Amino acid sequence: MSSRSITHADRDGVRKLARLRHGFCLDAIAEGAKGSGVDMLIGATADEAHAFFAANPAMENPPVEAVLDRFGGEERLASYRARRPGATTMDLLADLETDETFLRPMRDLADAVAAHNGTSYTYLFDWAPPASRFKSCHVIEMPFVFGTYDTYHDAPMMAGGDPRQIADLSTAVRLAWISFIRDGTPEHSLIPSWPAYDVIHRPTMHLGARIGIIGLASG
């Protein structure tokens, strides 16, 4: 079947099958974690897909029809515009990809762990230099997790970041990871209380210029 002959119904069927397989996978992971008594630390960056889109010239001015088709109509596109006022079309497409590929699976996994009476802690890493076109993109958290930010001074995703802010956030992140490995909870004295995840409140630690608990979106 050529790509041109794939109908909306075909795409819907593929997506439903993918969601079904996705659900089986999540349940298996969650059941395995529960059975082994292994707690989980689950997270993503707030703008995972932005670097991929910003580096692609075709995303600077994509066809309107293609954009509407990707969102499934004007209503959903409008909801994304409301979330990020003044955003470019590329920003909105990147937001959609981030949601579908990273943030929603992150939430689904945490939900599955909770449904199997397992324990997980979730985070959203949301730091980026001011006016960065890459935003809080894929792998930007790595130098913070390992304390290797000095070796990233030439990395475009880090350009323009405040060194003191970077160092402080890295300290908070590293202590959280170490505490989780050592004690089974990412809490430590430099950050607010970090409760275990539940499907009602979905408490998620926001790691950025400000650190604090947010509720993970359910959409």
Side-chain angles (χ1 to χ4, degrees), residues 7-8 38 40 54 61 68 71 81 88 112 118 134 140 152 154-155 160 164 167 195 202 204:
T7 66
H8 284 287
V38 175
M40 302 183 72
N61 189 28
L68 285 172
F71 277 90
R81 286 199 185 102
T88 65
F134 301 113
I140 197 172
Y152 281 74
D154 289 332
R164 183 70 263 166
R202 292 192 169 105
T204 300

Side-chain angles (χ1 to χ4, degrees), residues 123-140:
Y123 68 89
L124 185 70
F125 189 90
D126 192 17
W127 179 91
S132 170
R133 69 192 182 101
F134 301 113
K135 304 189 186 300
S136 182
C137 63
H138 189 59
V139 309
I140 197 172

Side-chain angles (χ1 to χ4, degrees), residues 168-188:
D168 289 346
L169 181 55
S170 178
T171 297
V173 169
R174 281 180 287 151
L175 286 175
W177 266 238
I178 291 169
S179 177
F180 179 73
I181 294 167
R182 182 186 59 213
D183 305 322
T185 170
E187 287 196 348
H188 60 82

Side-chain angles (χ1 to χ4, degrees), residues 21 96 128:
R21 290 175 175 170
L96 179 63

Side-chain angles (χ1 to χ4, degrees), residues 92-127:
L92 301 178
L93 287 166
D95 285 345
L96 179 63
E97 187 66 30
T98 293
D99 283 350
E100 292 185 347
T101 306
F102 297 94
L103 299 188
R104 202 161 295 142
M106 163 192 161
R107 182 207 64 209
D108 290 347
L109 176 57
D111 282 351
V113 171
H116 286 76
N117 298 313
T119 300
S120 69
Y121 298 86
T122 58
Y123 68 89
L124 185 70
F125 189 90
D126 192 17
W127 179 91

